Amino acid sequence: MDDNDELEYVEEDYYAFLNVPRNASQEEISAAYRTFSRMYHPDKHLDVENKGKAEEMFNRTKKAYEVLSDPHQRAIYDSLGNKGLQTEGWELIHRTRTPAEIREEYERLAREREERRMQQKTNPRGNITVNINATEIFSRYEDEYDDGSLFPAIEVSGMSMSQSIEAPLSRTDTATLSGNLQLQNGVGGGNFLLSGRRLINKGWFEVDCGAGSGPVLGLKGSRNLTNRVFLNGGTTVNFRQNAIIPGIAGTLAIQLDKHTVGYLTYNAGLQSSMTTTIEHNTDRYHCNASATLGIPHCYITASYTRKLVEQQLKLRVALNTALKKKVSKYSSIVATVSCGVPTGVTLKIKIIRSTQTYLFPIHLSEEIIPAAVFYATVTPLLTYFILKKTLIDPMNEAAKQRNIEKVKETNRARMAEKRRGAESAIALMGAMYERIRTEEQRRQGLIIVAALYGKFGPDENVTAEQRDEMGFIQHNPNVIDVKVPLQCLVKDARLNVYGKTKSELPGFYDPCFGEDKLLRVDYEFRGQSYSVTVADNEDLSIPASANGTAQN
């Protein structure tokens, strides 16, 4: 699958670089800036090579401070990252505006760019339906023409295809071209429709013209009458060879409460009906009841859908049962079993891929046969789990790895720069490391004995170096030694580490991009030895002997 959540371009995390929490006060930001600017100030490094490294690190520290110390820039950075600060039109925003007004201004600029892009794009939507007659599986026909075949006859009884594209003409006008073809029991037909829609105050209206079984003209519209009531409707005129067939349809919807909506729908034409529907929808379940009085059919329906949010599943129970599973970000599978008289048992498999839908109604029996109901219910579940384990999961994992490699390639220069920056930072930390370590030893405070960051198991005995197959010692490519930068963050016998990812801390970089990482710290405090391991996105605060593991 290629629709996994994509990894984004790696941006600098100014909070992590200054090692302050995202809700840090101006005083905390200023204090962190003073600490790092003293460490990286070029005047404190006489060596020519170190002076060049110090200039680079000092400029990064200064940039982080400039953004976080300015309430306006910080508001945009918090909401949108560096891309917000680099947005075209940002220089036009008055600095007297509040952070909320700045965010609104950015969103307006972003909408304008999106509208310009949308004017150059279409929005394709498609649907393919293949009707399959498999009734011979459970009830074989026996007559004089039976050829004695070992396998039941399964045939395609019908097929339909539809496709539409949109063309934005302006911010309020959109043109849509759609068409469909259908074939049922050897008889086919089709039509196409050209529509023009305009957005108006509190609604829209649309004009349609097309051809199929004769020319068709139509007019539709929708309008919000109040905050809780809206009305939509339309009329069509179908010009056939010997008749003109009018049609009209309309729906009145009322928001009864936060989760409940009522609908009253009227249709008049070749088939006329009046339908009343009540829908109740929450985060955990969805239910509706509907009553239809019409010609030639009258019926009552009710359904209940339970949303299994944690498993990304939906289970629906009515006169039919449906199970929906989200396979990936843009794809899902729906299996529905319908039982009724005189329709019998039907299994419907729907595959939704972005804006494309593939539907396979499989008619299993003309009567309600328990075996057909059982296999229609169990077979999709077994098939899905088998496909998931043998096909979907491996494909998703392969797509994830391809995505990681793609982003690695995109960020290769950035990651190399981060590694050089980390090495430069450690080279500049020597004097501060010795000073802080000596002071902590004198007071029996916090001494970082060892610290490793990268990919390893919580209980794994990992080292920064490892032996290869020949027995030679080599650097572990998935782990880096961060003892020096962590010791330099110790202040008054305490260490606090913040940031969504620790790879942005001074002296750190990401040794295994796209993988889950841990930080393991072995330290001494008050003469006792401890060890603590935290996830990449967890804050770290030591000493914390209650959370750390004492070492013998």
Side-chain angles (χ1 to χ4, degrees):
M1 302 280 178
D2 58 359
D3 54 3
N4 289 279
D5 291 345
E6 294 188 358
L7 300 170
E8 297 180 352
Y9 180 80
V10 179
E11 287 191 339
E12 184 130 11
D13 188 334
Y14 294 141
Y15 289 99
F17 189 77
L18 295 180
N19 192 36
V20 294
R22 299 191 75 82
N23 60 351
S25 64
Q26 289 297 325
E27 290 75 16
E28 292 175 306
I29 293 172
S30 297
Y33 171 68
R34 287 193 296 270
T35 298
F36 288 110
S37 62
R38 283 196 297 268
M39 183 191 306
Y40 300 136
H41 201 287
D43 293 345
K44 293 186 176 293
H45 302 276
L46 301 180
D47 182 84
V48 175
E49 182 178 354
N50 282 347
K51 184 178 284 290
K53 296 176 180 178
E55 289 178 355
E56 179 184 353
M57 298 302 295
F58 183 78
N59 289 334
R60 290 175 61 187
T61 304
K62 185 178 179 181
K63 176 62 176 177
Y65 174 71
E66 287 175 350
V67 172
L68 300 186
S69 62
D70 185 320
H72 298 76
Q73 293 192 61
R74 184 178 178 181
I76 289 185
Y77 177 77
D78 286 348
S79 300
L80 307 158
N82 265 319
K83 65 180 181 294
L85 300 174
Q86 299 166 3
T87 300
E88 178 186 358
W90 152 250
E91 66 278 1
L92 303 177
I93 298 177
H94 301 298
R95 297 182 59 80
T96 56
R97 294 190 182 183
T98 66
E101 291 172 333
I102 290 176
R103 281 193 291 271
E104 292 175 357
E105 182 71 9
Y106 173 83
E107 291 168 359
R108 182 188 65 79
L109 294 170
R111 284 196 300 270
E112 290 180 355
R113 293 196 314 275
E114 182 65 21
E115 287 167 358
R116 288 196 297 269
R117 285 195 294 266
M118 284 299 297
Q119 290 178 6
Q120 302 170 358
K121 295 182 179 180
T122 61
N123 182 25
R125 295 179 181 274
N127 183 294
I128 297 177
T129 300
V130 179
N131 296 284
I132 300 173
N133 185 348
T135 55
E136 276 207 9
I137 294 178
F138 299 98
S139 179
R140 297 197 64 169
Y141 298 110
E142 295 183 0
D143 53 35
E144 64 272 18
Y145 301 106
D146 190 356
D147 59 3
S149 174
L150 295 177
F151 301 100
I154 300 176
E155 61 182 15
V156 175
S157 59
M159 179 181 294
S160 65
M161 294 180 290
S162 64
Q163 186 73 34
S164 68
I165 56 173
E166 294 180 358
L169 304 178
S170 68
R171 295 180 60 182
T172 58
D173 298 326
T174 303
T176 303
L177 179 63
S178 60
N180 69 76
L181 296 170
Q182 58 274 340
L183 176 68
Q184 187 71 31
N185 296 325
V187 180
N191 61 66
F192 78 91
L193 190 68
L194 177 63
S195 305
R197 175 176 293 192
R198 165 165 290 188
L199 299 179
I200 58 176
N201 184 31
K202 296 184 179 182
W204 54 268
F205 74 89
E206 179 178 292
V207 177
D208 303 330
C209 63
S213 298
V216 177
L217 297 177
L219 181 65
K220 302 175 184 176
S222 176
R223 183 175 179 82
N224 295 331
L225 303 180
T226 67
N227 291 334
R228 290 178 171 270
V229 181
F230 73 86
L231 174 68
N232 63 48
T235 181
T236 60
V237 180
N238 189 346
F239 297 90
R240 296 195 176 182
Q241 186 174 4
N242 298 317
I244 298 177
I245 302 175
I248 188 171
T251 299
L252 178 67
I254 303 175
Q255 185 83 37
L256 302 176
D257 60 35
K258 182 179 180 180
H259 301 289
T260 308
V261 181
Y263 300 92
L264 181 63
T265 302
Y266 175 74
N267 286 286
L270 290 177
Q271 295 185 347
S272 299
S273 65
M274 176 74 76
T275 302
T276 301
T277 303
I278 300 291
E279 287 191 3
H280 186 74
N281 190 18
T282 69
D283 293 337
R284 307 300 301 180
Y285 65 91
H286 172 268
C287 57
N288 69 62
S290 178
T292 298
L293 179 64
I295 301 174
H297 302 295
C298 298
Y299 53 89
I300 297 175
T301 63
S303 69
Y304 175 87
T305 302
R306 181 67 178 177
K307 303 175 184 178
L308 306 177
V309 180
E310 295 80 4
Q311 292 77 31
Q312 295 183 324
L313 286 169
K314 292 183 180 180
L315 181 62
R316 181 172 179 263
V317 179
L319 294 179
N320 53 45
T321 301
L323 184 66
K324 179 177 181 180
K325 172 63 179 176
K326 186 174 182 180
V327 178
S328 59
K329 185 177 180 180
Y330 301 109
S331 303
S332 58
I333 297 176
V334 183
T336 304
V337 180
S338 301
C339 303
V341 177
T343 56
V345 181
T346 301
L347 170 63
K348 295 180 181 178
I349 304 295
K350 181 189 291 186
I351 302 174
I352 302 171
R353 171 74 175 177
S354 187
T355 59
Q356 303 294 315
T357 302
Y358 306 90
L359 180 62
F360 302 91
I362 305 172
H363 194 190
L364 297 177
S365 65
E366 296 178 348
E367 299 177 352
I368 301 179
I369 300 175
V373 176
F374 174 78
Y375 284 106
T377 305
V378 174
T379 302
L381 291 174
L382 291 178
T383 303
Y384 168 74
F385 285 113
I386 292 173
L387 290 176
K388 183 176 186 298
K389 294 298 182 182
T390 60
L391 184 63
I392 296 175
D393 285 351
M395 289 179 63
N396 282 338
E397 183 61 28
K400 178 182 176 181
Q401 293 302 320
R402 287 196 301 270
N403 189 32
I404 290 174
E405 292 302 321
K406 178 181 177 181
V407 179
K408 278 183 178 179
E409 183 64 30
T410 303
N411 291 283
R412 191 175 299 279
R414 165 74 172 144
M415 303 311 295
E417 178 187 344
K418 286 290 295 179
R419 180 170 183 170
R420 288 194 299 270
E423 293 171 348
S424 298
I426 292 176
L428 301 173
M429 291 176 178
M432 176 173 284
Y433 170 78
E434 293 297 338
R435 179 176 62 78
I436 293 177
R437 186 179 177 85
T438 301
E439 177 64 22
E440 293 298 320
Q441 286 176 332
R442 184 187 62 79
R443 66 168 71 173
Q444 283 195 324
L446 177 58
I447 307 296
I448 306 298
V449 178
L452 297 175
Y453 172 69
K455 179 184 178 183
F456 52 87
D459 301 321
E460 182 181 347
N461 185 20
V462 66
T463 60
E465 295 179 340
Q466 60 183 9
R467 292 186 180 273
D468 61 14
E469 296 178 354
M470 303 296 295
F472 296 104
I473 296 177
Q474 293 185 343
H475 174 70
N476 187 340
N478 294 322
V479 176
I480 59 174
D481 187 337
V482 292
K483 179 178 73 173
V484 171
L486 284 185
Q487 186 70 68
C488 289
L489 294 177
V490 173
K491 183 176 181 181
D492 298 329
R494 294 199 64 84
L495 171 64
N496 294 302
V497 178
Y498 307 99
K500 294 185 297 184
T501 171
K502 295 173 180 59
S503 63
E504 292 292 321
L505 289 166
F508 283 61
Y509 66 91
D510 193 338
C512 44
F513 183 78
E515 305 287 349
D516 294 333
K517 291 170 282 292
L518 297 174
L519 172 63
R520 178 177 297 167
V521 183
D522 299 332
Y523 63 96
E524 294 180 357
F525 181 70
R526 301 290 187 254
Q528 291 287 326
S529 297
Y530 301 92
S531 179
V532 62
T533 302
V534 297
D536 192 27
N537 59 353
E538 288 184 66
D539 290 346
L540 172 65
S541 180
I542 54 177
S545 56
N547 296 325
T549 302
Q551 298 177 332
N552 295 327

